[in-house]
């Protein structure tokens, strides 16, 4: 069964994806996102990439969401043409945004505003992301972004000093690997305590044996069972929180 699931996902090639690359501007800089339209009245998903930048992986996930009936805008937080392949470059680009949280927030809001200009319904949106993108999603939740929900897959969970979730407007879903050594369970537990203390609706799930980046097709970290279960719960969350 696991082999069949893996084969299904890996057969989703770039050639099968029929979206549009979209260049947009935030605070004077160009970014290149990816738009897939399912229908005029479809709910919107704002999808945020991991530290590789916006690549085929996010496009595949966008296609999966589009097939489920959602309009999808995959945001670009690094800049047009910036798709790092070396670890040092990935650390540089994510590190710059972690150090400049106002810029990160502006990029997230700017991406949502642009998606709305394309016809996405910003009043009926769920914001989701992977790894670095998951951390960006939680940054937007803390910033008070208006959304129907926030979802992170194996994303950064720590809260920067001086921040909290008191302005969060929607439920948070955290999908995490118990075997994630990059973002340990101590951070998972700390976030759970924060959200409960601040009375933020949340659901947090961990998957046994799943390491960091357990949803990335074809990698040695991919765990088909955790990927399938987390995607199913995400789909249920979308149905529960969008109109």
């Amino acid at each position: 069964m696991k082999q069949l699931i893996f084969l299904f996902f890996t057969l989703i090639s770039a050639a099968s994806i029929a979206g549009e690359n979209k260049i947009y501007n935030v605070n004077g800089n160009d970014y290149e996102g990816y738009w897939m339209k399912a229908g005029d009245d479809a709910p919107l998903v704002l999808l945020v990439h991991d530290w590789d930048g916006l690549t085929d992986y996010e496009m595949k996930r966008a296609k999966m969401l589009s097939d489920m009936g959602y309009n999808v805008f995959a945001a670009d937080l690094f800049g047009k043409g910036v798709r790092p392949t070396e670890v040092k470059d990935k650390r540089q680009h994510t590190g710059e945004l972690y150090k400049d949280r106002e810029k990160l927030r502006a990029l997230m809001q700017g991406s949502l505003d642009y998606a709305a200009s394309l016809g996405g319904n910003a009043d009926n949106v769920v914001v989701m992301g992977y790894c670095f993108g998951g951390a960006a999603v939680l940054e937007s939740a803390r910033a008070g972004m208006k959304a129907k929900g926030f979802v992170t897959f194996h994303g950064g969970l720590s809260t920067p000093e001086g921040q909290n979730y008191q302005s969060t407007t929607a439920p948070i879903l955290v999908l995490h690997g118990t075997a994630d050594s990059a973002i340990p369970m101590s951070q998972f537990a700390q976030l759970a305590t924060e959200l409960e203390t601040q009375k933020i609706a949340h659901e947090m799930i961990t998957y046994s044996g799943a390491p960091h980046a357990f949803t990335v097709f074809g990698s040695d970290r991919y765990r088909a069972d955790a990927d399938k279960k987390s995607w199913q719960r995400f789909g249920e969350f979308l149905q529960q929180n969008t109109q």
Side-chain angles (χ1 to χ4, degrees):
M1 183 63 180
K2 289 183 179 180
Q3 288 83 354
L4 289 175
I5 294 168
F6 177 77
L7 180 60
F8 168 75
F9 285 134
T10 54
L11 285 176
I12 304 172
S13 67
S16 71
I17 298 172
E20 300 177 79
N21 293 318
K22 295 289 187 179
I23 297 173
Y24 62 110
N25 191 279
V26 180
N27 293 337
N29 295 309
D30 285 339
Y31 297 85
E32 187 170 5
Y34 187 77
W35 169 246
M36 293 204 76
K37 183 176 180 179
D40 291 338
D41 299 323
L44 175 65
V45 176
L46 182 67
L47 189 159
V48 191
H49 58 76
D50 62 17
W51 74 343
D52 294 338
L54 176 52
T55 65
D56 276 358
Y57 175 74
E58 288 77 24
M59 294 178 185
K60 291 173 185 177
R61 292 291 182 181
K63 176 66 165 59
M64 293 166 67
L65 286 166
S66 179
D67 287 346
M68 291 163 60
Y70 297 94
N71 291 332
V72 186
F73 185 66
D76 172 18
L77 301 188
F78 288 168
K80 182 176 179 289
V82 180
R83 304 293 185 262
T85 57
E86 300 294 329
V87 170
K88 63 181 180 63
D89 296 324
K90 296 175 185 181
R91 285 178 176 157
Q92 174 193 338
H93 291 294
T94 55
E96 288 175 355
L97 290 174
Y98 283 141
K99 292 175 183 176
D100 190 346
R101 296 282 174 160
E102 289 303 316
K103 181 178 180 180
L104 178 55
R105 292 182 176 200
L107 287 171
M108 290 291 291
Q109 187 61 53
S111 297
L112 178 56
D113 292 344
Y114 182 72
S117 78
L118 295 173
N121 188 349
D123 294 322
N124 193 23
V125 59
V126 166
V127 185
M128 60 86 76
Y130 295 93
C131 300
F132 161 73
V137 166
L138 293 182
E139 185 71 31
S140 292
R142 292 189 296 268
M145 176 182 275
K146 303 302 180 185
K148 292 296 184 69
F150 300 94
V151 183
T152 168
F153 287 81
H154 45 78
L157 303 179
S158 61
T159 301
E161 185 176 356
Q163 289 193 25
N164 57 56
Y165 285 87
Q166 292 178 0
S167 297
T168 301
T169 62
I172 293 173
L173 173 63
V174 177
L175 303 165
H176 200 67
T178 315
D180 191 330
S181 59
I183 302 162
M185 289 301 294
S186 58
Q187 291 185 21
F188 183 93
Q190 179 59 38
L191 177 59
T193 300
E194 289 180 57
L195 295 177
E196 187 64 26
T197 299
Q198 295 169 46
K199 302 186 185 309
I200 304 302
H202 63 280
E203 181 177 345
M204 301 177 65
I205 305 172
T206 62
Y207 301 96
S208 62
H212 189 62
F214 65 83
T215 68
V216 180
F217 312 123
S219 81
D220 58 2
R221 296 182 176 187
Y222 182 74
R223 298 294 184 272
D225 184 62
D227 180 35
K228 180 182 177 181
K229 288 177 178 177
S230 60
W231 188 258
Q232 179 177 339
R233 181 64 195 106
F234 175 45
E236 294 167 351
F237 183 87
L238 287 171
Q239 290 182 335
Q240 293 162 355
N241 290 284
T242 58
Q243 300 169 357

